[in-house]
């Protein structure tokens, strides 16, 4: 079969300001042998000591795994006191299926919810 293509990039925001690489067409990569899924890992939390809100998105080629498998590990890897930890770890098996951006999705959901009230 053809090698799978995924977005491979990481984006992080601190207090809403982007602190790293954007996920765009330049970040498309052809996955290596044995990688059968595109992974999207998203986490957000607040650092208790500094009240900084941190949002992270990482997209990579991966081996298909259980949804949310990496969330517990992520939480354990943050060595500082945090609150409001949210996490989503998802896998899909089509070319470039780990596109999309949480912000757009949640905006869309909000719009649908809003208009849903009037239907």
């Amino acid at each position: 079969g053809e090698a799978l293509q995924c977005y491979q990039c990481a984006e992080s925001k601190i207090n809403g300001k982007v602190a790293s690489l954007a996920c765009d067409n330049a970040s498309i990569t052809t996955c290596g042998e044995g990688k059968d899924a595109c992974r999207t890992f998203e986490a957000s939390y607040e650092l208790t000591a500094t009240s900084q809100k941190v949002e992270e998105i990482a997209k990579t080629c991966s081996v298909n795994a259980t949804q949310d498998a990496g969330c517990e590990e992520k939480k354990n890897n943050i060595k500082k006191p945090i609150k409001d930890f949210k996490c989503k770890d998802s896998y899909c098996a089509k070319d470039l299926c780990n596109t999309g951006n949480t912000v757009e999705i949640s905006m869309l959901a909000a719009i649908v919810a809003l208009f849903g009230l009037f239907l």
Side-chain angles (χ1 to χ4, degrees), residues 2-8 25 27-32 35-39 60-62 92-99:
E2 299 258 312
L4 183 70
Q5 283 197 315
C6 299
Y7 287 92
Q8 183 149 327
N25 289 347
S27 63
I28 293 172
T29 189
T30 299
C31 300
K35 303 282 190 184
D36 59 357
C38 298
R39 177 184 186 191
T60 54
C61 294
S62 180
C92 55
K94 292 193 188 78
D95 275 349
L96 305 180
C97 60
N98 64 340
T99 177

Side-chain angles (χ1 to χ4, degrees), residues 48-87:
T48 316
T50 56
S51 299
Q52 285 179 307
K53 287 187 176 20
V54 180
E55 297 166 75
E56 298 174 23
I57 300 179
K59 301 182 184 200
T60 54
C61 294
S62 180
V63 176
N64 210 351
T66 316
Q67 302 291 339
D68 295 331
C71 288
E72 196 57 39
E73 185 187 340
K74 174 66 187 177
K75 196 171 188 178
N76 294 337
N77 283 342
I78 302 167
K79 300 295 184 221
K80 297 176 177 158
I82 57 165
K83 62 180 186 186
D84 296 338
F85 181 80
K86 293 186 189 71
C87 178

